[in-house]
Amino acid sequence: AHIYPREKEGDYAGLIEGFENELKELQLNKQNFLEKLYFLLFKYTWSVPAQTERAGFYPDISLFAHLKLTAALGICLLSAKINCHKILTKLNEYWQNNKRSFLESIEKEKDFDIPIATLLLGDLSGIQSFIFNVPSKGAAKSLKGRSLYLEILLYVIAHYILKEFNLPLTNILYIGGGNFYLLLPPNKKDKLEKLQRKIDKVLFSAHKGQIWVGLAWEDLNIKDLLNPNRFAKKFGRDIHDKMQFHKMKKFKSEDIFNPFSASARRCEVCGEEAKIEEEEIKICEFCDSLRRLARELRKAKYFYLKETDIRKNYKTYKDVFSAFGYEAGFCEKLKDDTRCYLINEIPEKLNNNLVGFIFLPISLPLSEEGNVLSFEELVEKGKGAKQLGVLKIDLDNLGFILGKGWEKWEKEDFNKPCEDKQRESKLSISRIAFLSTMLSLFFNWQVAKLAERDEYKDSIYLIFSGGDDVFAVGAWERVFYFLKEIREKFEEFTKNELVTFSSSYLIVPTHFPVIRFSHLIEDGLAEAKGIEEDRKCPPPKNKGMFLNVCLDWGYKGKREDKTSVWELYEWIERIEKEAERDIEQFSRRLGLIAGVFSSGLREMKKGKLKGIEHVWRFAYGLRDWVKQYQNLVEDLVRLNQELIVEVWKEGEKKWLIAHPDFINLIARILNLKYRG
Ligand SMILES: [Zn+2]
């Protein structure tokens, strides 16, 4: 399937024909009809616009999102026994009487205050320590299973809630990145409180407070649904305030996870009593079950979800799922007795138990014997130094994007005051549903597909990818280029220079404590994103942190910035190409003088040295190479001069336009690659 935008007329006739043919077949066999219809509509209408420019609308919501949300709301109205006819008649009157200030005019209407739906937020906390608090020895065996478990757990809990309210799949607005949003019928406080108690009980029994799924909700009325400002307040603020309050209360009242039990044989991962000893690591039955979950991925073609009897002890992850009434897992062949979803592909045809598809980052680097590669084995697959590259990517300005939609933006939109941004927000439930689907197509699907390609499949370990972020480790050099390729694809996918992500990348030895590199990478990302914190009202970010040097990503093909991340990749490629024969020595020399140069630049800032000295020192340092590589050396010397001028000009501001460590960073990466 093509998911990248192309300059081409849509083949609507072909889509309609395909849809009708498949629909006919579904009607012959009514098994799981509704769910299949949902995926059929997904398949054929996800990139068909719901409105057109000709009709006066910017087409940035898909027909699929529109249909899905219409159905979801319809069910809520039906279940609340609301007189839709009366409401619609009234709405129409208001519209006819006052098109220009319609939203203001409906404000005083009491009938529009009646709640017609509940927006439910489910939020998983404790993710980072749950996934990453594992011994570095054998970490590769544990990480994937732990991250996947949390992902499926949220999925199972969302389905459990839907089942409790007797709602179909349409009412999941969004699942990913550690939370979900559901649309439920209105006035369900008691029931939701009961469900929260149940979730608490199960997760506390299984995890002693290490992870927690909190529920927070807001009633929605007609005004909230029609007025983006009202909706933005509930979706963007109120519901999160409630969640925050809920969390604080929760963690005050309960014993927080205590990793030390009295037993000498305790699990080296979670502190529970260890039952299993494997390769000198003692782990408990639960943690071992998560390792087995990762092993299931070897032959995973389908994901399945099956209703099951409720179990009440929590020895393995399966028991936790079953406490919510589900069995979930992976299989190679379709199961006879339950619904299956094709992973990371759109099925040609749906049939009996193949009801749909799901995007999950299931790729895992394996040895020929089918074992998960250890960090030590992973780093062997890349060039140069045998070190581990750690990468985290995170979308910038998600809230702003959701409010803005995919409409063509101007750079000025970014710099408008907050009040204007709020006033112009177009936030709505269908825009959220659409944009989150688009993001999941990229982060859940395309990134995972990329990791499965030959260049990466045995050198990249994708710990998670979904929602709006990515976390990967692997051979440092492979990770470095994996990031480049993700970025290329991302720019191709969004075709919007203002939709960006920031990244953090570092290199550590393979035995480095996992929990520590997970914190370091987060800190790097936070620092990169916060570097312009003096901005009055965020957006921009678009930063790339590389080995503690923070650069602006820029945009591919636009060479405005001398030290952007794209320039970094370009320079490395150019030096490799032009100085190929002497790459080792050239890199070493460049490293030496660039190191002196960047510390010299800092001295220069303090007034201790003059810029002119650096110009000739740098040129002098490269003098031996002028004959062989005249162009390259001249351009490097020029870059160096430009950096001096820019650094001088920039005053006390941070190094964003011209980073004094830029040439040094180029040299460090080349040296890691060619000297090991
Ligand atoms: Zn354990």
PDB file of all heavy atoms in Angstrom, residues 624-642:
ATOM      1  N   ASP A 624      48.816  19.363   5.060  1.00  0.00           N
ATOM      2  CA  ASP A 624      49.355  18.179   4.381  1.00  0.00           C
ATOM      3  C   ASP A 624      48.388  17.595   3.355  1.00  0.00           C
ATOM      4  O   ASP A 624      48.771  16.799   2.516  1.00  0.00           O
ATOM      5  CB  ASP A 624      49.671  17.080   5.405  1.00  0.00           C
ATOM      6  CG  ASP A 624      50.773  17.516   6.353  1.00  0.00           C
ATOM      7  OD1 ASP A 624      51.456  18.513   6.013  1.00  0.00           O
ATOM      8  OD2 ASP A 624      50.928  16.884   7.413  1.00  0.00           O
ATOM      9  N   TRP A 625      47.120  17.950   3.486  1.00  0.00           N
ATOM     10  CA  TRP A 625      46.129  17.312   2.614  1.00  0.00           C
ATOM     11  C   TRP A 625      45.702  18.193   1.454  1.00  0.00           C
ATOM     12  O   TRP A 625      44.907  17.787   0.625  1.00  0.00           O
ATOM     13  CB  TRP A 625      44.885  16.927   3.436  1.00  0.00           C
ATOM     14  CG  TRP A 625      45.222  15.997   4.559  1.00  0.00           C
ATOM     15  CD1 TRP A 625      45.395  16.321   5.863  1.00  0.00           C
ATOM     16  CD2 TRP A 625      45.469  14.596   4.468  1.00  0.00           C
ATOM     17  NE1 TRP A 625      45.721  15.223   6.596  1.00  0.00           N
ATOM     18  CE2 TRP A 625      45.772  14.134   5.760  1.00  0.00           C
ATOM     19  CE3 TRP A 625      45.467  13.675   3.402  1.00  0.00           C
ATOM     20  CZ2 TRP A 625      46.067  12.805   6.037  1.00  0.00           C
ATOM     21  CZ3 TRP A 625      45.753  12.352   3.686  1.00  0.00           C
ATOM     22  CH2 TRP A 625      46.052  11.933   4.985  1.00  0.00           C
ATOM     23  N   VAL A 626      46.235  19.413   1.407  1.00  0.00           N
ATOM     24  CA  VAL A 626      45.763  20.355   0.389  1.00  0.00           C
ATOM     25  C   VAL A 626      45.973  19.813  -1.021  1.00  0.00           C
ATOM     26  O   VAL A 626      45.105  19.915  -1.881  1.00  0.00           O
ATOM     27  CB  VAL A 626      46.450  21.731   0.545  1.00  0.00           C
ATOM     28  CG1 VAL A 626      46.049  22.663  -0.588  1.00  0.00           C
ATOM     29  CG2 VAL A 626      46.068  22.345   1.877  1.00  0.00           C
ATOM     30  N   LYS A 627      47.147  19.208  -1.237  1.00  0.00           N
ATOM     31  CA  LYS A 627      47.448  18.734  -2.593  1.00  0.00           C
ATOM     32  C   LYS A 627      46.441  17.702  -3.085  1.00  0.00           C
ATOM     33  O   LYS A 627      45.867  17.833  -4.153  1.00  0.00           O
ATOM     34  CB  LYS A 627      48.857  18.131  -2.625  1.00  0.00           C
ATOM     35  CG  LYS A 627      49.855  19.096  -3.243  1.00  0.00           C
ATOM     36  CD  LYS A 627      51.166  18.401  -3.524  1.00  0.00           C
ATOM     37  CE  LYS A 627      52.258  19.450  -3.650  1.00  0.00           C
ATOM     38  NZ  LYS A 627      53.518  19.011  -3.063  1.00  0.00           N
ATOM     39  N   GLN A 628      46.234  16.661  -2.257  1.00  0.00           N
ATOM     40  CA  GLN A 628      45.338  15.585  -2.706  1.00  0.00           C
ATOM     41  C   GLN A 628      43.875  16.021  -2.763  1.00  0.00           C
ATOM     42  O   GLN A 628      43.152  15.647  -3.659  1.00  0.00           O
ATOM     43  CB  GLN A 628      45.421  14.369  -1.773  1.00  0.00           C
ATOM     44  CG  GLN A 628      46.711  13.624  -1.808  1.00  0.00           C
ATOM     45  CD  GLN A 628      47.502  13.922  -0.545  1.00  0.00           C
ATOM     46  OE1 GLN A 628      47.773  15.093  -0.245  1.00  0.00           O
ATOM     47  NE2 GLN A 628      47.844  12.881   0.191  1.00  0.00           N
ATOM     48  N   TYR A 629      43.450  16.772  -1.736  1.00  0.00           N
ATOM     49  CA  TYR A 629      42.014  17.035  -1.604  1.00  0.00           C
ATOM     50  C   TYR A 629      41.748  18.526  -1.521  1.00  0.00           C
ATOM     51  O   TYR A 629      41.174  19.016  -0.545  1.00  0.00           O
ATOM     52  CB  TYR A 629      41.465  16.332  -0.356  1.00  0.00           C
ATOM     53  CG  TYR A 629      41.848  14.881  -0.274  1.00  0.00           C
ATOM     54  CD1 TYR A 629      42.648  14.408   0.757  1.00  0.00           C
ATOM     55  CD2 TYR A 629      41.416  13.993  -1.260  1.00  0.00           C
ATOM     56  CE1 TYR A 629      43.003  13.071   0.824  1.00  0.00           C
ATOM     57  CE2 TYR A 629      41.781  12.652  -1.201  1.00  0.00           C
ATOM     58  CZ  TYR A 629      42.578  12.199  -0.159  1.00  0.00           C
ATOM     59  OH  TYR A 629      42.928  10.880  -0.106  1.00  0.00           O
ATOM     60  N   GLN A 630      42.155  19.229  -2.555  1.00  0.00           N
ATOM     61  CA  GLN A 630      42.103  20.681  -2.487  1.00  0.00           C
ATOM     62  C   GLN A 630      40.702  21.229  -2.190  1.00  0.00           C
ATOM     63  O   GLN A 630      40.515  22.014  -1.264  1.00  0.00           O
ATOM     64  CB  GLN A 630      42.631  21.276  -3.790  1.00  0.00           C
ATOM     65  CG  GLN A 630      42.943  22.752  -3.627  1.00  0.00           C
ATOM     66  CD  GLN A 630      43.352  23.390  -4.940  1.00  0.00           C
ATOM     67  OE1 GLN A 630      43.543  22.706  -5.941  1.00  0.00           O
ATOM     68  NE2 GLN A 630      43.490  24.692  -4.941  1.00  0.00           N
ATOM     69  N   ASN A 631      39.700  20.775  -2.968  1.00  0.00           N
ATOM     70  CA  ASN A 631      38.333  21.298  -2.775  1.00  0.00           C
ATOM     71  C   ASN A 631      37.823  21.050  -1.373  1.00  0.00           C
ATOM     72  O   ASN A 631      37.277  21.932  -0.722  1.00  0.00           O
ATOM     73  CB  ASN A 631      37.358  20.626  -3.746  1.00  0.00           C
ATOM     74  CG  ASN A 631      37.484  21.216  -5.126  1.00  0.00           C
ATOM     75  OD1 ASN A 631      38.057  22.306  -5.272  1.00  0.00           O
ATOM     76  ND2 ASN A 631      36.996  20.509  -6.117  1.00  0.00           N
ATOM     77  N   LEU A 632      38.006  19.826  -0.939  1.00  0.00           N
ATOM     78  CA  LEU A 632      37.501  19.431   0.370  1.00  0.00           C
ATOM     79  C   LEU A 632      38.144  20.270   1.467  1.00  0.00           C
ATOM     80  O   LEU A 632      37.457  20.829   2.329  1.00  0.00           O
ATOM     81  CB  LEU A 632      37.785  17.940   0.593  1.00  0.00           C
ATOM     82  CG  LEU A 632      37.290  17.347   1.900  1.00  0.00           C
ATOM     83  CD1 LEU A 632      35.774  17.415   1.975  1.00  0.00           C
ATOM     84  CD2 LEU A 632      37.752  15.895   2.043  1.00  0.00           C
ATOM     85  N   VAL A 633      39.460  20.380   1.406  1.00  0.00           N
ATOM     86  CA  VAL A 633      40.162  21.131   2.450  1.00  0.00           C
ATOM     87  C   VAL A 633      39.750  22.597   2.419  1.00  0.00           C
ATOM     88  O   VAL A 633      39.458  23.196   3.458  1.00  0.00           O
ATOM     89  CB  VAL A 633      41.694  20.979   2.298  1.00  0.00           C
ATOM     90  CG1 VAL A 633      42.423  21.969   3.206  1.00  0.00           C
ATOM     91  CG2 VAL A 633      42.108  19.553   2.633  1.00  0.00           C
ATOM     92  N   GLU A 634      39.666  23.160   1.221  1.00  0.00           N
ATOM     93  CA  GLU A 634      39.266  24.571   1.128  1.00  0.00           C
ATOM     94  C   GLU A 634      37.875  24.796   1.707  1.00  0.00           C
ATOM     95  O   GLU A 634      37.632  25.774   2.409  1.00  0.00           O
ATOM     96  CB  GLU A 634      39.314  25.047  -0.331  1.00  0.00           C
ATOM     97  CG  GLU A 634      40.721  25.426  -0.760  1.00  0.00           C
ATOM     98  CD  GLU A 634      40.807  25.756  -2.243  1.00  0.00           C
ATOM     99  OE1 GLU A 634      39.751  25.748  -2.926  1.00  0.00           O
ATOM    100  OE2 GLU A 634      41.931  26.007  -2.710  1.00  0.00           O
ATOM    101  N   ASP A 635      36.972  23.860   1.407  1.00  0.00           N
ATOM    102  CA  ASP A 635      35.605  24.019   1.916  1.00  0.00           C
ATOM    103  C   ASP A 635      35.547  23.863   3.432  1.00  0.00           C
ATOM    104  O   ASP A 635      34.785  24.558   4.105  1.00  0.00           O
ATOM    105  CB  ASP A 635      34.653  23.029   1.243  1.00  0.00           C
ATOM    106  CG  ASP A 635      34.334  23.457  -0.186  1.00  0.00           C
ATOM    107  OD1 ASP A 635      34.678  24.611  -0.541  1.00  0.00           O
ATOM    108  OD2 ASP A 635      33.759  22.655  -0.938  1.00  0.00           O
ATOM    109  N   LEU A 636      36.362  22.957   3.959  1.00  0.00           N
ATOM    110  CA  LEU A 636      36.389  22.801   5.417  1.00  0.00           C
ATOM    111  C   LEU A 636      36.955  24.053   6.077  1.00  0.00           C
ATOM    112  O   LEU A 636      36.448  24.517   7.099  1.00  0.00           O
ATOM    113  CB  LEU A 636      37.222  21.576   5.813  1.00  0.00           C
ATOM    114  CG  LEU A 636      36.505  20.225   5.721  1.00  0.00           C
ATOM    115  CD1 LEU A 636      37.501  19.074   5.827  1.00  0.00           C
ATOM    116  CD2 LEU A 636      35.440  20.090   6.808  1.00  0.00           C
ATOM    117  N   VAL A 637      37.997  24.607   5.458  1.00  0.00           N
ATOM    118  CA  VAL A 637      38.585  25.830   6.011  1.00  0.00           C
ATOM    119  C   VAL A 637      37.566  26.960   5.958  1.00  0.00           C
ATOM    120  O   VAL A 637      37.420  27.737   6.904  1.00  0.00           O
ATOM    121  CB  VAL A 637      39.884  26.204   5.250  1.00  0.00           C
ATOM    122  CG1 VAL A 637      40.353  27.608   5.626  1.00  0.00           C
ATOM    123  CG2 VAL A 637      40.968  25.180   5.560  1.00  0.00           C
ATOM    124  N   ARG A 638      36.817  27.009   4.859  1.00  0.00           N
ATOM    125  CA  ARG A 638      35.795  28.055   4.742  1.00  0.00           C
ATOM    126  C   ARG A 638      34.699  27.856   5.800  1.00  0.00           C
ATOM    127  O   ARG A 638      34.277  28.804   6.458  1.00  0.00           O
ATOM    128  CB  ARG A 638      35.183  28.049   3.340  1.00  0.00           C
ATOM    129  CG  ARG A 638      34.261  29.256   3.099  1.00  0.00           C
ATOM    130  CD  ARG A 638      33.783  29.370   1.656  1.00  0.00           C
ATOM    131  NE  ARG A 638      34.879  29.257   0.712  1.00  0.00           N
ATOM    132  CZ  ARG A 638      34.946  28.319  -0.244  1.00  0.00           C
ATOM    133  NH1 ARG A 638      33.989  27.427  -0.369  1.00  0.00           N
ATOM    134  NH2 ARG A 638      35.970  28.277  -1.062  1.00  0.00           N
ATOM    135  N   LEU A 639      34.264  26.618   5.964  1.00  0.00           N
ATOM    136  CA  LEU A 639      33.243  26.327   6.986  1.00  0.00           C
ATOM    137  C   LEU A 639      33.740  26.796   8.349  1.00  0.00           C
ATOM    138  O   LEU A 639      33.026  27.451   9.107  1.00  0.00           O
ATOM    139  CB  LEU A 639      32.948  24.820   7.023  1.00  0.00           C
ATOM    140  CG  LEU A 639      32.049  24.342   8.167  1.00  0.00           C
ATOM    141  CD1 LEU A 639      30.630  24.884   8.012  1.00  0.00           C
ATOM    142  CD2 LEU A 639      32.004  22.809   8.234  1.00  0.00           C
ATOM    143  N   ASN A 640      35.001  26.496   8.611  1.00  0.00           N
ATOM    144  CA  ASN A 640      35.603  26.884   9.872  1.00  0.00           C
ATOM    145  C   ASN A 640      35.574  28.401  10.058  1.00  0.00           C
ATOM    146  O   ASN A 640      35.216  28.906  11.124  1.00  0.00           O
ATOM    147  CB  ASN A 640      37.029  26.333   9.891  1.00  0.00           C
ATOM    148  CG  ASN A 640      37.827  26.847  11.056  1.00  0.00           C
ATOM    149  OD1 ASN A 640      37.409  26.680  12.195  1.00  0.00           O
ATOM    150  ND2 ASN A 640      38.945  27.482  10.779  1.00  0.00           N
ATOM    151  N   GLN A 641      35.906  29.120   8.990  1.00  0.00           N
ATOM    152  CA  GLN A 641      35.878  30.590   9.076  1.00  0.00           C
ATOM    153  C   GLN A 641      34.466  31.091   9.335  1.00  0.00           C
ATOM    154  O   GLN A 641      34.240  31.983  10.146  1.00  0.00           O
ATOM    155  CB  GLN A 641      36.383  31.202   7.771  1.00  0.00           C
ATOM    156  CG  GLN A 641      37.880  31.099   7.622  1.00  0.00           C
ATOM    157  CD  GLN A 641      38.347  31.682   6.297  1.00  0.00           C
ATOM    158  OE1 GLN A 641      37.651  32.465   5.670  1.00  0.00           O
ATOM    159  NE2 GLN A 641      39.527  31.285   5.867  1.00  0.00           N
ATOM    160  N   GLU A 642      33.528  30.495   8.617  1.00  0.00           N
ATOM    161  CA  GLU A 642      32.134  30.932   8.783  1.00  0.00           C
ATOM    162  C   GLU A 642      31.657  30.684  10.209  1.00  0.00           C
ATOM    163  O   GLU A 642      30.946  31.498  10.789  1.00  0.00           O
ATOM    164  CB  GLU A 642      31.234  30.198   7.793  1.00  0.00           C
ATOM    165  CG  GLU A 642      31.399  30.705   6.369  1.00  0.00           C
ATOM    166  CD  GLU A 642      30.731  29.796   5.341  1.00  0.00           C
ATOM    167  OE1 GLU A 642      30.344  28.658   5.697  1.00  0.00           O
ATOM    168  OE2 GLU A 642      30.601  30.223   4.194  1.00  0.00           O
TER     169      GLU A 642
END
